[in-house]
Amino acid sequence: MREPGEGDRDRRPRGTLSAAARGARVPGAHPHHRWRDRLAATDQERRLRPDRTSDDDTTDDIEDLLRRHAPQVLGALVRRYGHFDPAEDAVQEALIAAAGQWPEDGIPDNPRGWLIRVASRRLTDRLRSDEARRRREETAAALTPADAFVAPPPGEGPSGLGRAPSEDDTLTLLFLCCHAALSPAAQIALTLRAVGGLTTAEIARAHLVPEATMAQRISRAKRTVRGTRFRQPDAQDRDQRLAAALQVLYLIFNEGYTATAGPDLHRTDLAREAIRLTRAVRRLLPHEGRVTGLLALMVLTEARTPARTGPDGELIPLDEQDRGRWDCDAIAEGTALAEEALAQGPAGDYQLQAAIAALHDEAERAEDTDWPQILALYDLLVRRTPDPAAALGRAVAVAMVHGPRAGLTAVDALAGAVEPPYRLDAVRGHLLERAGEPAAARAAYLAAADATLSEPEARYLRMRAGRAAP
């Protein structure tokens, strides 16, 4: 997510975030309160086509509605019946039924209740057809909330408006998918499948692995969490579970924004899915600074996407990007979110990173970037987190404030700590080039190019090596 030397955006009032960032520089200080009205969460994922028809719009509206409700419906069924795999199959059947019926019959007044009712019936039929019918019914009854015996089940009752499931089911489902017993790769895959609603094939394509491999990974993850109680974590481990969930969303976004392998620099589906899921978490936890900060960081970073590549897909570094192509609306929203995040308690990792991103975005030109403030924020960040990527970002800031030699000293101190290691060589090459050592810069660029699995990054690094040749 962090690009060496990034200076990101120019379309916002000067000084607004600067005041907030100065407040964040001193622990415990409040940012300057220049609040604009909170921007409504907008869906920036749809691309309008000039030849769109009303049927296209209706179909897209239904697709968006189904994707938004899918994790809530799955959460309601898992909470009620306690069977993850059969519940997921039943939800998929309900979604297919809705996709077939709603375009003709219209969207029901209570779409979530409709989906839960249909999925519950499909799941009930499946459970009753099993040889262990009685045992499964007893298990389902034991896991059913007490009020379910005196009130209509989720989504049922008059007009389908019975006891509505809590939207917290989405967050509970996310916590389940980010279970500590799962590896980060399994957490990401299961989150994209169960919470994001992506198909196994879509997830496999995003990770450049065969569909069968991804199916096995997801199946193993489901087996690992089988039997885990579907409930919000206790107060004592809630912060830890939320931190794990946010880290998974952060990793999904990073992989989408700068793909670690393959022919494309940017995987739009993953980056936008991470933003969509983080928006959903923020709707559930609107006053949690970590969530607001992560969303701000994602929105501010994604706003640069239109200018990150050239006509042939070549990578364009931040200081050379056409800032007029950045997404102005996203910058305004991200800046407002960053300010809000800094006001929601002590500045944490995501809030500080969002403040750094917004300071980059504030600069009308790359040379206008407020590097002293950015360095001060990185100093706070590296004291809070052992993340080598933060230390590498600080090394770039050191170079911009104190010169390339000071930056190289900071980079050399990170040898062996940065993953993937080619990023260290890429930054070293940039600083050596600025320090007037073209031969050494060329060697560092080529080492980085040979180590990366990203084709656009490799082409860019070899171009820089050729440019640095004495």
Side-chain angles (χ1 to χ4, degrees), residues 50-268:
D51 59 341
R52 294 188 67 85
T53 67
S54 59
D55 287 342
D56 292 331
D57 291 335
T58 300
T59 300
D60 284 351
D61 288 343
I62 291 174
E63 290 177 355
D64 291 343
L65 193 63
L66 293 177
R67 172 166 286 204
R68 185 168 69 251
H69 285 310
Q72 300 169 16
V73 176
L74 178 58
L77 262 66
V78 174
R79 171 168 50 80
R80 178 175 172 80
Y81 298 102
H83 300 283
F84 194 101
D85 276 349
E88 187 182 30
D89 291 339
V91 170
Q92 292 300 316
E93 292 177 13
L95 294 174
I96 292 171
Q101 294 181 34
W102 291 3
E104 297 294 331
D105 301 342
I107 298 173
D109 293 336
N110 180 13
R112 185 167 48 145
W114 190 99
L115 290 167
I116 292 174
R117 186 169 63 254
V118 172
S120 295
R121 290 172 180 170
R122 300 290 174 91
L123 180 57
T124 300
D125 290 343
R126 183 166 299 183
L127 293 176
R128 286 176 177 169
S129 67
D130 194 272
E131 292 181 0
R133 169 183 172 180
R134 185 176 301 278
R135 183 170 64 252
R136 294 200 178 199
E137 286 180 347
E138 290 173 351
T139 301
L143 294 172
T144 300
D147 63 343
F149 295 106
V150 295
E156 295 189 359
S159 303
L161 298 176
R163 181 172 60 83
S166 166
E167 290 227 1
D168 282 351
D169 283 338
T170 299
L171 188 58
T172 306
L173 186 62
L174 178 60
F175 284 152
L176 179 64
C177 293
C178 299
H179 195 284
L182 298 174
S183 68
Q187 290 175 338
I188 290 172
L190 192 57
T191 297
L192 290 173
R193 183 74 179 91
V195 185
L198 274 65
T199 66
T200 302
E202 289 172 331
I203 301 170
R205 284 196 298 271
H207 287 82
L208 303 179
V209 300
E211 183 175 352
T213 300
M214 185 56 65
Q216 291 176 355
R217 184 179 301 173
I218 294 172
S219 295
R220 286 195 299 268
K222 290 178 181 178
R223 288 196 298 269
T224 300
V225 301
R226 183 178 298 162
T228 302
R229 290 188 61 191
F230 189 80
R231 59 173 178 79
Q232 287 276 354
D234 297 331
Q236 56 265 33
D237 66 348
R238 179 183 179 278
D239 281 350
Q240 183 178 357
R241 294 286 293 277
L242 178 60
L246 295 180
Q247 178 67 11
V248 167
L249 295 176
Y250 182 70
L251 291 173
I252 293 172
F253 180 82
N254 275 342
E255 181 61 27
Y257 187 71
T258 303
T260 55
D264 299 317
L265 179 69
H266 187 261
R267 295 177 189 168
T268 303

Side-chain angles (χ1 to χ4, degrees), residues 4-29:
E6 264 183 1
D8 264 302
R9 179 73 176 194
D10 60 42
R11 307 292 200 199
R12 60 180 230 85
R14 300 281 297 171
T16 304
L17 201 280
S18 298
R22 278 190 286 270
R25 181 181 299 180
V26 181

Side-chain angles (χ1 to χ4, degrees), residues 277-309:
L277 293 176
T278 307
R279 289 191 191 281
V281 175
R282 184 171 181 268
R283 284 194 294 270
L284 300 172
L285 300 172
H287 306 299
E288 173 58 64
R290 288 175 294 177
V291 179
T292 305
L294 178 58
L295 179 58
L297 176 60
M298 290 179 177
V299 171
L300 288 165
T301 306
E302 181 69 3
R304 311 163 188 163
T305 298
R308 291 184 71 217
T309 54

